[in-house]
Structures are given as C-alpha cells and as structure tokens.
Amino acid sequence: MKTELHFNKTIAIDKSMKEKIFIFDTTLRDGEQSPGASMNPAEKVRIATQLEKLGVDGIEAGFPAASEGDFEAVTQVAQKIKNAEVVALARATVNDIDRAWKAISHAAKPRIHTFLATSDIHMKYKLNMTREEVLQSAVDAVKYARKYTKNIEFSAEDGSRSDPDFLCNVFEAVIDAGAATVNLPDTVGYAIPEEFGNLVSYIMAHTSNIGKAVLSVHCHNDLGLATANTLAAIKAGARQAEVTINGIGERAGNTSLEEVVMSINTRPTYAAVTTGIQTPRIYSISRLVSMITGIMVQPNKAIVGANAFAHEAGIHQDGVLKNPMTYEIMRPETIGLTTNRMVMGKHSGKHALLSHLKNMGFDLSDEELRIVFKKFKALADKKKYVLDEDLEALVNQEVLRTADNFALTYLQVTSGTTVLPMATVKMLINGTEVVGTGSGNGPIDAAYNAIARLTGTQSHLMRFTISAITGGTDAQGEVTVRLKEKNIIALGRGTDPDIITASAYAYINGLNRLEYLKQNPPATVDAL
Ligand code: KIV
Ligand code: ZN
C-alpha cells in the first residue's frame, strides 16, 4: 500500500486497486486537423517516438485514405513504434479500411479505427442514410476490418448528440461484429460533464455485451469542457481517453493529455484509475509539438503554459517559499519543469550539449548534433547565456523543421527615418542560389517582398507575431506567421537574435510548409 501526501493529509493509495486506463493519443490525427498544423512524415515520426517514451498506449498516426503524404506518414510511424499500438483512421468503407491496413499492417501492434455518424442530424443531412442503413454499414465495416485484425475500434461520430438507445444498439451490434473498443465522441464539443457522465453510465447499463469491449471517449473543447467531460466519463466507467498534447485539434481542440493525466494523478481519490504516463516527459513533448506544428501554447494553459507554475502575487510567493503546498497543487518537476536549468555558454562542449539536449527530450543523430553544435557556438558568441528556450528554438530551426525547398543564405536590410526600407536577399531555391531585392514600408515588409518575388509565391500574410523567447536585451526574437494561399493555411516560425532575420526565417518556414501542403492537402474527416 502506497501513501501519498495531499494537503498535508496522508491518504492511503493502493495502486493495485486501480485500473489502468488506455491513453489513446490523437495528436498526429485529430491534432493535425488544427488549421495549419499539418505535419510531414519525418515530423510525425519524431513526435510518435516521444509519445512512445511518454508512455501512451496508442498513437493514432493519421488517416491514410486522406492523402499520399498521410499514408506515408502512418506507414513510417508504424515501422518505428514498437511498444504502443499504432492506429489508422478509416471511414466505414472498404477502400478506407484497405488503405488503413496497408499503412499499419507491419506495425508491432496495429489497430484499425473506423467511424460513422450516429446522430439524427448527421445521418439525415450529411450521410443521407436511415438508422437501419447506418447500423448495417457500421457492422459491415467492422466485419470487413476483422479480416485484417482483431484490434478494431468503432467510433459513433457525434455520439453525444445521438439517441442513447440507438447508440447502445449500434455499440451492441459492432461489438458482436468484433469491435474491441467502442468510442463515444463528443464531436462538436456540446456535452456537459454531468450529462456526459450519465450517458456513459447509460451505455454501460444498456449495452448488453459492453463487458466484451473497452468503452472510450473522445471530446472536443468547444465549450472548454473537454477535460471535465473526459474525467466525468472515466468516473462513470470509460476506460480509454482520446487526447492530444496541448489539447490541439479541430476547432477549439481536443481533450488535453496533460490535463487528464495530471488530474488523475493530483486527485487520486476521484476515480480508481491510473495511467502509464511518465509525467516528467510532459513538458518537453508539449514544447516539441508546439515547435513542430507552429501552434504556440497560450501562457495561461493548464499544466504546460508559461504561467502555469509562475507565482506573481507577493503573498503567493511568500507562501510557496514557506511551503509549496500553500499555493501549488502540483510540483513543477512532476511534469519535467526544472528550476535548476543548466545554462550553456560558449565554453560548453559537444558532450555537455548532447546530454543536456537528451535531458530536454531531444534525441539527435550525429549529423543533427553537428549542425546544432555549430549554430549553438555562433549563438553563444552573441549571447552570454544560452538557455533551454534558446536551445529548443535552435533545434527547431535547424533540424525539426519541414524539408526545405527554400532556404535563406544572406539578408541585408537598410531602413531608418529618412530612407526607403530596402532588402537584399540571397536564397537557395531547390538547391540553386538566387539573389533579389525588395522595398517596403518597413524592413520586414521589404524582406518579405524580396522573398515573395524570389520564390514566386502568392501567399497572404494573415498574422504576424513577435516576442522575445527569454528575458534580457540580448534575447532571441521569435516570430510566428500564419500564411494563406487559396484555402491552405500554414504556420511558420523563426528565431534569431536579430528580429528582421527571425522574421525572414519565419516567413520562409511558412512558405516551405505551404509548398508541402500543396502537394499533400490537409484532410479533415468530414471534408473528404
Ligand atoms: O471528433 C470525432 O468524432 C472524431 C472521430 C473520427 C472519432 O474525430
Ligand atoms: Zn475528433
């Protein structure tokens, strides 16, 4: 029997009495449906590798029928991952299921995830199908998928707005057909915790064969209730939670992995469950996902936001110094946020850098380390202390980014109160060096005009943000841009001690992502 300290009360926790729930991560599939967050195969493999180390039980790697690029990404993730299940999404059609299986058949633990909407509104207006037809198609899809594997998940899309009795009938039929997991999605983020928990209890009580399957939930955050709904569902008997890192996903996002896991750990008496998540890895994977997708974590985001453990008010600081439990319900170390960060400087060697990057969750190849070390030395010449945030930005810029068609090799700008801002830019475009100039109403505008002309691109700059990634006047500037071309949106990020250079890097990163997306259009589950 283990005891844990909660608010100075010692509570006896018998972990053996707790059921382990299945953490199903869908960062690479539903998370990727966040506007502009598309990832290429190498980026997905990199995140999947860290998800496996984090201890998730399943990794939904993508939607193979959606595009060649996603098929390739799922295939590569399936080749790499050994301990977690690798899941491929498929509509309830023969073609989708065949594509899904083709992408994951060589995985150590493959799972096919097929879905069909069960709410009256979706069946009538989207599918144009009757209840009988939907039930039959769901059963047929599961039976067809069974020819490949026993590990099949069926999702009743828009489940939270479906007639509960029809939902139970569908779940009963697909379990009879061989589904091992049945998933209840709150697709449009409409549910309220008490009501959602009651729906889970209802399903548990009225689906005669539910004991033969795992009941899962998949919540969206349109009302900011995804985590609360997921926890209510777990308390009511759900044993799989579908989540994403940082809660990224379609529209307002999905349930956030870190919020569910830390709620379960911080409130061990709420539900008799546990997870296999290595919580000290949470912070580094949150940063990795943010860097790769270009989606920043809001500062006040629970668990992983920059302010989540920052105590501003004097009275709080005083209390925390006397006893952290006065104002801190979790210790920052439990999510891997260390206060005694090692500061790297220009005398730090390659080995020190490698081991520090490993601690931060980056496993770099020799070649990647060589590139990062060179840039690190250059940065350390300009900046006295190189902090973790600087290193993250550097790794992101030099090795994590999408394969580049366009690269910046030289930038010079002139600007001031009385001159027309001008930029001279040299770039590699698919390996060939080109040079050009541009003018604009400021130095960044001038550089962007030169880059647009050189690359022959027509994107529209929808958003531009700039911030300092650490404190101090020698801090690096971090620029994020959101670009749009036709209906495709891409995010780009760039960092450099010089903010004009950081802006150019961000723009070029966004253009590279747009190029990738033009070849591999992002697909949402309903847009196909
Ligand atoms: O939100 C949803 O309904 C989905 C399903 C495909 C599970 O993402
Ligand atoms: Zn979803």
Side-chain angles (χ1 to χ4, degrees), residues 295-334:
I295 300 180
M296 296 227 185
V297 175
Q298 74 196 57
N300 58 325
K301 163 84 178 64
I303 319 292
V304 290
N307 297 345
F309 291 93
H311 298 276
E312 196 68 26
I315 193 164
H316 286 203
Q317 289 170 352
D318 183 54
V320 168
L321 286 176
K322 288 179 176 144
N323 179 347
M325 279 186 176
T326 50
Y327 285 101
E328 256 177 14
I329 58 165
M330 297 165 275
R331 297 293 303 147
E333 306 82 77
T334 52

Side-chain angles (χ1 to χ4, degrees), residues 26 29-30 33 185-187 218-220 242 250 254 525:
T26 182
R29 199 278 298 170
D30 219 333
Q33 290 177 209
D186 181 25
T187 303
H218 170 114
C219 298
H220 280 268
E242 300 201 352
E250 184 90 32
N254 287 61
V525 289

